[in-house]
Amino acid sequence: MAARSTTSEKRPGFFAQIRSLFTFTKAEYRWLPWLLIGIIVLGIGLGVLLGFFIPPLAIWSVILWGFTGLMFGVLAAMITLTRLSTRAMYKKIDGMPGAVGHVVSTALGRNWNASEMPVGVNPKTQDAVYRAIGRGGVVIIGEGARGRLTRLVNDERMKVQRVASGVPVEVLYVGHGDDDVAIADLARTIKKLPKKVDRATMAAVLKRVDSVSQSVTSLPIPKGIDPAKARAPRPR
């Protein structure tokens, strides 16, 4: 029998990840290179300016302040790149089936538990319902046409209320209507919900809801989004 390989999968290096992040974001914002260059040049300029105004005035002091400005400029450029990459990612997945699952499974943090798999799916229309459980209670998120989601949402809400009586249940619809939540605002909207459930109750609710949840693994999963490709790469 062949020996099992102990060599771990090699991850891309830091600069390779930065290059990937830059390429991903530049595809959406063509002016990105000029913006980053401008931020770095501005940082150097501010550093040199400080070198001239902060005594003692000396060439080494100006150079040192210029180098410090360069470092701050690079840091500001990296922060800008990261934020723009997140915005580009949301623009890329907006309206795609499965986008809600990608967001709730990656962007809610430790106070929430959610899966990229929907808890309810309409196989014909690919409308889907997702669920997040956290300190703010239970959030049911509809993805698709609101009119077609009514039955799926009501079924999930009744299921939760049956096993977790007294726990607040919030229903959100992702879209661009007057009462809808944009996909880019979904994680922020959920995390802003007031904390009405302690951690012990949250764990109990999670266990109860999971015990009565009907598995949808056999149903067709909404196609159109590959989280590994749509997600902006992050430098480690």
XYZ file of all heavy atoms in Angstrom, residues 21-69:
395
model
N -5.443 39.511 -4.842
C -6.421 40.469 -4.332
C -6.493 41.697 -5.233
O -7.574 42.195 -5.551
C -6.042 40.885 -2.908
C -7.019 41.793 -2.163
C -8.313 41.054 -1.882
C -6.407 42.285 -0.859
N -5.329 42.176 -5.672
C -5.265 43.340 -6.553
C -5.941 43.042 -7.898
O -6.721 43.853 -8.410
C -3.805 43.741 -6.765
C -3.609 44.857 -7.753
C -3.757 46.177 -7.354
C -3.280 44.583 -9.071
C -3.584 47.210 -8.269
C -3.103 45.599 -9.983
C -3.253 46.922 -9.583
N -5.664 41.881 -8.470
C -6.243 41.506 -9.764
C -7.754 41.385 -9.669
O -8.492 41.848 -10.552
C -5.648 40.170 -10.249
O -4.220 40.292 -10.333
C -6.203 39.788 -11.596
N -8.224 40.770 -8.586
C -9.662 40.607 -8.363
C -10.361 41.958 -8.293
O -11.411 42.168 -8.912
C -9.891 39.820 -7.075
C -11.335 39.688 -6.682
C -12.110 38.651 -7.178
C -11.917 40.594 -5.808
C -13.446 38.528 -6.824
C -13.245 40.475 -5.442
C -14.023 39.445 -5.953
N -9.772 42.901 -7.556
C -10.400 44.205 -7.358
C -10.283 45.078 -8.597
O -11.213 45.815 -8.940
C -9.764 44.918 -6.153
O -9.729 44.018 -5.029
C -10.551 46.145 -5.756
N -9.155 45.003 -9.277
C -8.936 45.823 -10.469
C -9.907 45.479 -11.589
O -10.241 46.322 -12.433
C -7.495 45.659 -10.956
C -7.108 46.537 -12.145
C -5.628 46.372 -12.455
C -5.243 47.210 -13.670
N -5.847 46.680 -14.914
N -10.375 44.219 -11.607
C -11.344 43.826 -12.626
C -12.641 44.619 -12.498
O -13.356 44.824 -13.486
C -11.637 42.325 -12.511
N -12.943 45.093 -11.295
C -14.154 45.879 -11.053
C -13.873 47.375 -11.069
O -14.694 48.168 -11.515
C -14.763 45.484 -9.698
C -16.120 46.078 -9.420
C -17.191 45.560 -10.367
O -17.176 44.357 -10.689
O -18.030 46.376 -10.812
N -12.698 47.763 -10.564
C -12.322 49.176 -10.489
C -11.028 49.396 -11.276
O -9.934 49.177 -10.757
C -12.134 49.604 -9.027
C -13.348 49.369 -8.164
C -13.347 48.358 -7.184
C -14.503 50.126 -8.305
C -14.458 48.131 -6.391
C -15.621 49.903 -7.511
C -15.588 48.910 -6.561
O -16.691 48.691 -5.772
N -11.160 49.834 -12.503
C -9.997 50.000 -13.379
C -9.043 51.077 -12.883
O -7.851 51.052 -13.203
C -10.474 50.350 -14.804
C -11.275 49.243 -15.481
C -10.395 48.043 -15.759
N -11.143 46.973 -16.428
C -10.606 45.815 -16.744
N -9.357 45.553 -16.455
N -11.334 44.888 -17.355
N -9.559 52.025 -12.132
C -8.729 53.126 -11.641
C -7.975 52.767 -10.356
O -7.286 53.616 -9.785
C -9.608 54.350 -11.366
C -10.943 54.032 -10.768
C -12.135 53.926 -11.418
C -11.229 53.755 -9.377
N -13.150 53.605 -10.539
C -12.622 53.507 -9.283
C -10.457 53.706 -8.220
C -13.254 53.198 -8.068
C -11.069 53.403 -7.008
C -12.451 53.147 -6.946
N -8.071 51.534 -9.916
C -7.446 51.119 -8.659
C -5.939 51.405 -8.605
O -5.458 51.928 -7.589
C -7.712 49.632 -8.418
C -7.075 49.029 -7.169
C -7.674 49.639 -5.911
C -7.241 47.516 -7.157
N -5.137 51.076 -9.650
C -3.685 51.324 -9.551
C -3.354 52.779 -9.279
O -2.472 53.080 -8.456
C -3.160 50.874 -10.916
C -4.177 49.911 -11.426
C -5.491 50.415 -10.924
N -4.061 53.697 -9.951
C -3.774 55.116 -9.755
C -4.157 55.572 -8.353
O -3.472 56.401 -7.749
C -4.522 55.940 -10.803
C -4.154 55.571 -12.200
C -4.911 54.907 -13.115
C -2.888 55.802 -12.833
N -4.228 54.714 -14.278
C -2.985 55.262 -14.148
C -1.704 56.422 -12.429
C -1.930 55.319 -15.039
C -0.645 56.479 -13.335
C -0.765 55.938 -14.621
N -5.229 55.035 -7.824
C -5.635 55.386 -6.464
C -4.584 54.937 -5.454
O -4.196 55.708 -4.561
C -6.983 54.739 -6.133
C -7.473 54.922 -4.694
C -7.715 56.395 -4.386
C -8.752 54.111 -4.446
N -4.104 53.692 -5.573
C -3.124 53.177 -4.622
C -1.803 53.941 -4.727
O -1.176 54.257 -3.700
C -2.893 51.682 -4.870
C -4.131 50.774 -4.705
C -3.755 49.327 -4.915
C -4.775 50.977 -3.336
N -1.389 54.244 -5.964
C -0.155 55.020 -6.143
C -0.312 56.406 -5.516
O 0.593 56.915 -4.835
C 0.195 55.134 -7.640
C 0.609 53.771 -8.186
C 1.315 56.156 -7.856
C 0.810 53.751 -9.693
N -1.486 57.010 -5.720
C -1.729 58.330 -5.148
C -1.681 58.321 -3.630
O -1.147 59.240 -3.007
N -2.224 57.277 -3.015
C -2.216 57.178 -1.548
C -0.786 57.054 -1.032
O -0.398 57.709 -0.047
C -3.070 55.983 -1.094
C -4.549 56.244 -1.381
C -2.870 55.709 0.396
C -5.450 55.059 -1.108
N 0.031 56.236 -1.702
C 1.415 56.047 -1.264
C 2.217 57.332 -1.446
O 2.983 57.736 -0.553
C 2.056 54.878 -2.037
C 1.372 53.559 -1.671
C 3.555 54.797 -1.737
C 1.835 52.374 -2.482
N 2.045 57.994 -2.592
C 2.764 59.257 -2.839
C 2.340 60.315 -1.829
O 3.174 61.090 -1.324
C 2.510 59.743 -4.278
C 3.046 61.161 -4.477
C 3.147 58.795 -5.282
N 1.054 60.359 -1.514
C 0.575 61.314 -0.520
C 1.202 61.044 0.842
O 1.592 61.979 1.559
C -0.952 61.230 -0.419
C -1.618 62.167 0.606
C -1.346 63.624 0.243
C -3.126 61.901 0.665
N 1.311 59.764 1.202
C 1.944 59.425 2.478
C 3.396 59.873 2.526
O 3.848 60.425 3.536
N 4.132 59.645 1.437
C 5.534 60.080 1.390
C 5.620 61.597 1.488
O 6.463 62.149 2.219
C 6.198 59.587 0.090
C 6.251 58.058 0.067
C 7.612 60.163 -0.044
C 6.737 57.483 -1.252
N 4.749 62.295 0.739
C 4.757 63.759 0.754
C 4.483 64.323 2.136
O 5.157 65.265 2.575
N 3.508 63.750 2.833
C 3.213 64.219 4.191
C 4.378 63.949 5.135
O 4.698 64.774 5.994
C 1.941 63.535 4.710
C 0.624 63.953 4.041
C -0.534 63.129 4.580
C 0.363 65.441 4.275
N 5.030 62.793 4.943
C 6.185 62.489 5.784
C 7.325 63.464 5.565
O 7.936 63.955 6.535
N 7.633 63.762 4.307
C 8.704 64.725 4.000
C 8.350 66.101 4.529
O 9.207 66.819 5.073
C 8.939 64.772 2.472
C 9.878 65.921 2.112
C 9.504 63.442 1.986
N 7.074 66.488 4.404
C 6.635 67.793 4.908
C 6.835 67.890 6.413
O 7.305 68.914 6.927
C 5.170 68.003 4.539
C 4.604 69.406 4.753
C 5.336 70.411 3.859
C 3.105 69.436 4.461
N 6.501 66.815 7.110
C 6.722 66.807 8.557
C 8.207 66.901 8.880
O 8.613 67.548 9.857
C 6.133 65.528 9.168
C 4.610 65.473 9.300
C 4.170 64.091 9.763
C 4.123 66.537 10.264
N 9.037 66.280 8.059
C 10.483 66.341 8.274
C 11.032 67.745 8.180
O 12.008 68.095 8.882
N 10.418 68.570 7.358
C 10.870 69.955 7.221
C 10.383 70.839 8.363
O 11.044 71.821 8.712
C 10.378 70.541 5.888
C 11.272 70.212 4.734
C 10.879 69.266 3.793
C 12.515 70.827 4.583
C 11.701 68.943 2.726
C 13.342 70.510 3.508
C 12.939 69.573 2.576
N 9.235 70.500 8.942
C 8.642 71.370 9.952
C 8.961 70.954 11.385
O 8.791 71.740 12.308
C 7.126 71.441 9.768
C 6.700 72.351 8.668
C 6.425 71.841 7.415
C 6.580 73.719 8.869
C 6.037 72.667 6.379
C 6.195 74.563 7.841
C 5.920 74.047 6.585
N 9.387 69.709 11.584
C 9.698 69.253 12.946
C 11.205 69.351 13.168
O 11.987 68.707 12.469
C 9.217 67.802 13.155
C 7.687 67.724 13.034
C 9.663 67.277 14.518
C 7.119 66.334 13.199
N 11.612 70.177 14.119
C 13.065 70.309 14.371
C 13.622 69.056 15.023
O 12.864 68.292 15.644
C 13.119 71.518 15.311
C 11.784 71.565 15.981
C 10.801 71.012 14.992
N 14.948 68.824 14.916
C 15.902 69.653 14.169
C 15.828 69.349 12.665
O 15.633 68.205 12.271
C 17.238 69.218 14.736
C 17.015 67.781 15.127
C 15.601 67.702 15.608
N 15.975 70.389 11.857
C 15.925 70.221 10.414
C 17.258 69.669 9.915
O 18.298 70.288 10.057
C 15.649 71.569 9.745
C 15.609 71.550 8.206
C 14.535 70.593 7.715
C 15.363 72.961 7.669
N 17.205 68.474 9.362
C 18.411 67.826 8.841
C 17.987 66.853 7.758
O 16.843 66.362 7.743
C 19.165 67.096 9.957
N 18.910 66.570 6.837
C 18.583 65.710 5.718
C 18.184 64.311 6.173
O 17.259 63.698 5.650
C 19.765 65.650 4.716
C 19.341 64.854 3.462
C 20.985 65.025 5.390
C 18.209 65.468 2.692
N 18.869 63.802 7.222
C 18.537 62.472 7.714
C 17.146 62.440 8.331
O 16.422 61.434 8.250
C 19.583 62.003 8.729
C 19.692 62.883 9.952
C 20.564 63.924 10.153
C 18.880 62.793 11.138
N 20.362 64.496 11.384
C 19.327 63.819 12.015
C 17.839 61.968 11.546
C 18.761 64.047 13.265
C 17.275 62.176 12.790
C 17.735 63.206 13.637
N 16.753 63.584 8.962
C 15.412 63.668 9.559
C 14.336 63.663 8.476
O 13.307 62.987 8.603
C 15.297 64.937 10.401
O 13.986 65.045 10.960
N 14.584 64.385 7.375
C 13.627 64.427 6.276
C 13.485 63.039 5.642
O 12.384 62.583 5.332
C 14.066 65.458 5.222
C 13.158 65.391 3.995
C 14.047 66.871 5.816
N 14.640 62.355 5.467
C 14.605 61.008 4.885
C 13.844 60.046 5.791
O 13.041 59.228 5.328
C 16.039 60.501 4.628
C 16.709 61.351 3.537
C 16.026 59.031 4.227
C 18.173 61.016 3.318
N 14.126 60.159 7.095
C 13.456 59.271 8.048
C 11.946 59.488 8.048
O 11.166 58.526 8.038
C 14.028 59.500 9.450
C 13.459 58.609 10.566
C 13.723 57.145 10.256
C 14.058 58.989 11.911
N 11.540 60.758 8.054
C 10.111 61.053 8.021
C 9.485 60.628 6.689
O 8.338 60.196 6.643
C 9.870 62.535 8.275
C 9.860 62.885 9.735
C 10.839 63.521 10.451
C 8.805 62.605 10.653
N 10.470 63.644 11.775
C 9.218 63.089 11.920
C 7.568 61.984 10.545
C 8.415 62.988 13.054
C 6.775 61.888 11.679
C 7.196 62.372 12.913
N 10.237 60.766 5.599
C 9.744 60.319 4.304
C 9.521 58.814 4.285
O 8.528 58.322 3.736
N 10.457 58.068 4.902
C 10.311 56.609 4.976
C 9.105 56.238 5.847
O 8.357 55.306 5.527
C 11.589 56.001 5.551
C 11.560 54.508 5.626
C 11.738 53.722 4.491
C 11.331 53.871 6.844
C 11.694 52.341 4.573
C 11.287 52.488 6.930
C 11.474 51.729 5.794
N 8.929 56.994 6.950
C 7.768 56.752 7.808
C 6.473 57.010 7.045
O 5.506 56.246 7.150
C 7.819 57.657 9.051
O 9.037 57.412 9.773
C 6.636 57.397 9.972
N 6.470 58.092 6.255
C 5.299 58.380 5.432
C 5.033 57.288 4.418
O 3.879 56.956 4.127
